[in-house]
């Protein structure tokens, strides 16, 4: 097995080169999973928000993090979804939202995310860093789910951030929040 690399930006050999020798390819897609890499994590959170209600997900990041994907899927109703920093927190964030490693292969070194995600409290004010407006249609019996997301990576410094889902409809809104990130 060759220990040479074709990746001049990162001189460590990658998995493909270790298996296929010095004529291996360089991985250039950030979404490829390298068996030795275990810095990618994801979360998902289902929500149900009554008419004119708000649900808040609190995200505490302990180091520089790059969010590679963020999507909101609204199955019924309408929602205003904000990623916010600062503001006033209230209530108790008692529901733990699972944070899972993307790479669960047996060759991956075990690693636990340092990011914590919880829900259940309240939040007002703050600075909106990103905003999504989603509407599935007026007739809930004929509407279909709508998924929106970010089309670029987003860097976050250590800190506390909030995902605020505000129901902008007269009926209950339901959906799913998903995020994928890499901890640097």
């Amino acid at each position: 097995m060759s220990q040479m690399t074709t990746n001049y930006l990162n001189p460590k050999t990658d998995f493909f080169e270790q298996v296929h020798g010095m004529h291996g390819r360089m991985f250039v897609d950030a979404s490829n999973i390298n068996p030795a890499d275990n810095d990618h994590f994801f979360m998902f959170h289902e929500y149900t928000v009554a008419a004119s209600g708000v649900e808040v997900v609190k995200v505490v990041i302990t180091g520089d993090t790059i969010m590679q994907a963020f999507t909101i899927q609204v199955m019924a109703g309408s929602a205003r979804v904000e990623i916010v920093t600062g503001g006033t927190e209230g209530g108790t964030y008692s529901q733990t939202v699972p944070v899972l490693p993307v790479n669960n292969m047996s060759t991956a070194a075990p690693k636990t995310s340092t990011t914590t995600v919880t829900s259940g409290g309240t939040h007002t004010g703050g600075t909106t860093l990103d905003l999504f407006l989603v509407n599935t249609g007026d007739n809930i019996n004929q509407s279909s789910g709508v998924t929106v997301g970010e089309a670029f990576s987003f860097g976050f410094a250590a800190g506390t951030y909030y995902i605020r889902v505000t129901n902008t409809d007269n009926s209950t809104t339901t959906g799913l929040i998903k995020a994928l990130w890499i901890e640097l």
Side-chain angles (χ1 to χ4, degrees), residues 70-135:
F70 182 82
T71 58
I72 302 295
Q73 183 176 27
V74 178
M75 295 306 296
S78 300
R80 174 187 173 96
V81 182
E82 302 168 271
I83 299 175
V84 181
T85 187
T88 304
E89 178 182 307
T92 304
Y93 289 87
S94 57
Q95 181 184 355
T96 300
V97 177
V99 173
L100 306 164
V102 170
N103 187 356
N104 286 305
M105 293 186 283
S106 61
T107 55
K111 185 169 181 183
T112 303
S113 174
T114 59
T115 300
T116 58
V117 183
T118 53
S119 69
T122 63
H123 184 264
T124 57
T127 302
T128 300
L129 302 175
D130 208 347
L131 173 66
F132 303 88
L133 302 173
V134 189
N135 183 357

Side-chain angles (χ1 to χ4, degrees), residues 9 38 44 50 80 88 116 132 156 163 173:
L9 298 176
N38 211 14
F44 60 90
R80 174 187 173 96
T88 304
T116 58
F132 303 88
F156 289 94
I163 304 168
T173 185

Side-chain angles (χ1 to χ4, degrees), residues 25-184:
R25 299 180 307 155
M26 173 176 54
F27 284 147
V28 294
D29 184 354
S31 66
N32 282 321
I33 301 300
N34 181 335
D37 172 25
N38 211 14
D39 295 327
H40 288 80
F41 297 92
F42 73 100
M43 59 76 72
F44 60 90
H45 176 69
E46 286 186 90
Y47 65 85
T48 299
V49 183
S52 301
V54 178
E55 178 152 350
V56 181
V57 176
K58 178 180 176 180
V59 181
V60 179
I61 298 172
T62 60
D64 287 343
T65 299
I66 298 174
M67 182 174 61
Q68 294 181 315
F70 182 82
T71 58
I72 302 295
Q73 183 176 27
V74 178
M75 295 306 296
S78 300
R80 174 187 173 96
V81 182
E82 302 168 271
I83 299 175
V84 181
T85 187
T88 304
E89 178 182 307
T92 304
Y93 289 87
S94 57
Q95 181 184 355
T96 300
V97 177
V99 173
L100 306 164
V102 170
N103 187 356
N104 286 305
M105 293 186 283
S106 61
T107 55
K111 185 169 181 183
T112 303
S113 174
T114 59
T115 300
T116 58
V117 183
T118 53
S119 69
T122 63
H123 184 264
T124 57
T127 302
T128 300
L129 302 175
D130 208 347
L131 173 66
F132 303 88
L133 302 173
V134 189
N135 183 357
T136 60
D138 292 334
N139 184 341
I140 195 166
N141 296 323
Q142 295 178 2
S143 65
S144 60
V146 176
T147 302
V148 297
E150 205 52 84
F152 55 87
S153 296
F154 206 114
F156 289 94
T160 302
Y161 301 88
Y162 302 88
I163 304 168
R164 202 163 46 204
V165 180
T166 304
N167 185 343
T168 57
D169 200 16
N170 293 324
S171 61
T172 299
T173 185
T174 59
L176 177 69
I177 301 168
K178 292 180 107 176
L180 167 70
W181 65 90
I182 184 168
E183 296 178 356
L184 303 178

